[in-house]
Amino acid sequence: MRTPINELADGMTLAQAFQAADKQLRVNRQGGKYILLKLSDRTGTIAAMMWNADEATFDRFDRGDYIYCQGRTQVHNGALQIIVTQLERMDAHEVDANDFDRFDSGQADQHVARLQELLATLTQPFLQRLAAAYLEDNDFMDQFRLAAAAVSNHHAYPGGLLHHTVNMMELVRLISPRYSELDTDLLMMGAFLHDLGKIDELKASGEISYTDRGQLLGHIVIGIQLLGEKIQQVERDSGESFPTNLRYHLEHLVVSHHGTQEYGSPKIPVTLEAVALHHIDNLDAKLASYTSIIGRDVAADGNWTNYNPSIGRKLWKG
């Protein structure tokens, strides 16, 4: 019986299947070769190393393959990793697919139902029609259910984008009534639209990675293109022109939601709704990311995580 990644601990001896999420053949300072791996299962990912490797071993399997690994776990720089001593490629029929499928269809169904309820609260007629154009697009919704919100930072799993989007829309419901200056319909639609370009930016099947289109354009540009297509559809179906000013405000919400140009936004937020959307997005992403850091931490100090250089701090986990 295999031990899930989220249950691994320091000093364990392993002989079990993983999925090869990534692999790199590297050379150390002494000229020796080693394989750097990222192994995954349905509970998460873990780094692994195989020392004294060669091209033949590296070529024995591809990214996405199942591999049988023998080795041991150890803590390095505060993170758990696996030192692999032996590995072999496995055929798909040799593993239980349930050990590796990270998509929770039941949870996705619940999130889709809640998404429909939240979009049903819109009162502006053109926003109602725009929401319907997305919801009634079966191909789009199938992709949306499966999409991840990121490769590694937050909600980085199949269905993560839908989860993140619904979380943000729930926050809009809580926050918007406190500030009468905000246009609740506009902010709700912005929360729905802001990351939809990730459906085409990231690969939904196999290990999460960037598509060619995602690498070349990014999710903000893709999201604006998708929005333009849906607005054209609304205009065709209704026989009316979509309000130009409303379109500009929706586009601004998408292009400014990262908050600063340093973090990839072509424009910084200049409307109240855009400012609110950026902070709602950042709140949900940060809490998800930090919760994940706490969950993966293997520090000996029970109250604090190891220092994490990516966020510049330890986190309280007591």
Side-chain angles (χ1 to χ4, degrees):
M1 185 167 179
R2 70 182 305 278
T3 303
I5 287 174
N6 66 347
E7 295 179 15
L8 296 178
D10 187 22
M12 294 176 65
T13 299
L14 297 175
Q16 65 182 47
F18 293 95
Q19 191 166 24
D22 196 11
K23 65 170 188 172
Q24 299 174 37
L25 185 63
R26 294 189 173 185
V27 179
N28 61 28
R29 293 178 182 176
Q30 291 74 41
K33 295 176 181 177
Y34 66 97
I35 301 174
L36 180 63
L37 295 157
K38 184 163 77 167
L39 304 177
S40 67
D41 66 13
R42 73 181 308 275
T43 69
T45 61
I46 188 169
M49 309 271 283
M50 184 174 190
W51 301 108
N52 303 315
D54 54 28
E55 285 89 347
T57 304
F58 183 76
D59 293 337
R60 198 176 294 162
F61 64 97
D62 294 319
R63 292 177 180 85
D65 283 348
Y66 298 109
I67 54 176
Y68 182 79
C69 294
Q70 295 184 32
R72 68 184 187 281
T73 59
Q74 69 173 35
V75 175
H76 177 68
N77 288 338
L80 194 66
Q81 66 176 15
I82 299 174
I83 302 300
V84 177
T85 55
Q86 208 170 350
L87 62 80
E88 293 292 338
R89 183 184 177 279
M90 303 176 69
D91 291 329
H93 71 268
E94 297 181 273
V95 304
D96 184 348
N98 292 325
D99 289 338
F100 300 94
D101 186 2
R102 301 182 70 191
F103 179 64
D104 187 332
S105 60
Q107 186 177 73
D109 289 343
Q110 292 175 14
H111 287 149
V112 168
R114 186 57 180 151
L115 176 77
Q116 293 168 336
E117 291 174 353
L118 290 164
L119 288 175
T121 66
L122 297 171
T123 59
Q124 209 283 348
F126 279 95
L127 293 184
Q128 291 175 333
R129 296 172 191 171
L130 182 61
Y134 284 95
L135 292 175
E136 293 169 6
D137 183 338
N138 292 331
D139 288 341
F140 165 81
M141 290 302 297
D142 287 345
Q143 291 178 287
F144 191 19
R145 290 178 83 253
L146 283 167
V151 171
S152 60
N153 289 335
H154 69 92
H155 301 93
Y157 53 87
L161 178 59
L162 178 59
H163 189 182
H164 173 52
T165 301
V166 171
N167 278 357
M168 287 181 57
M169 294 170 72
E170 295 282 16
L171 288 171
V172 171
R173 284 187 71 248
L174 293 171
I175 291 170
S176 193
R178 305 293 300 178
Y179 302 94
S180 59
E181 302 88 350
L182 289 173
D183 183 327
T184 301
D185 273 11
L186 190 59
L187 184 54
M188 183 69 78
M189 198 67 192
F192 172 63
L193 295 172
H194 81 289
D195 266 352
L196 291 185
K198 289 184 176 180
I199 288 170
D200 283 335
E201 182 185 38
L202 302 175
K203 259 177 48 176
S205 58
E207 182 59 22
I208 299 165
S209 60
Y210 288 94
T211 63
D212 290 341
R213 189 183 184 198
Q215 292 275 26
L216 290 167
L217 301 181
H219 70 277
I220 288 178
V221 172
I222 296 170
I224 289 293
Q225 292 175 340
L226 179 60
L227 174 59
E229 293 168 5
K230 292 304 180 190
I231 286 176
Q232 288 181 343
Q233 180 183 332
V234 167
E235 290 179 329
R236 287 195 305 270
D237 292 346
S238 68
E240 298 179 64
S241 295
F242 198 91
T244 301
N245 199 47
L246 180 59
R247 175 175 186 157
Y248 290 163
H249 279 275
L250 291 173
E251 291 172 335
H252 179 68
L253 287 165
V254 175
V255 301
S256 67
H257 74 268
H258 283 182
T260 66
Q261 292 173 331
E262 175 188 3
Y263 291 116
S265 276
K267 300 293 290 185
I268 62 172
V270 296
T271 67
L272 292 179
E273 290 77 21
V275 171
L277 181 67
H278 163 60
H279 288 288
I280 290 170
D281 183 26
N282 197 41
L283 173 64
D284 188 59
K286 285 289 191 294
L287 288 177
S289 176
Y290 287 16
T291 299
S292 179
I293 290 170
I294 291 170
R296 294 194 311 266
D297 185 75
V298 291
D301 185 341
N303 288 331
W304 294 94
T305 67
N306 285 285
Y307 177 83
N308 189 302
S310 67
I311 62 173
R313 74 199 77 175
K314 295 181 176 183
L315 291 173
W316 172 262
K317 63 176 184 178

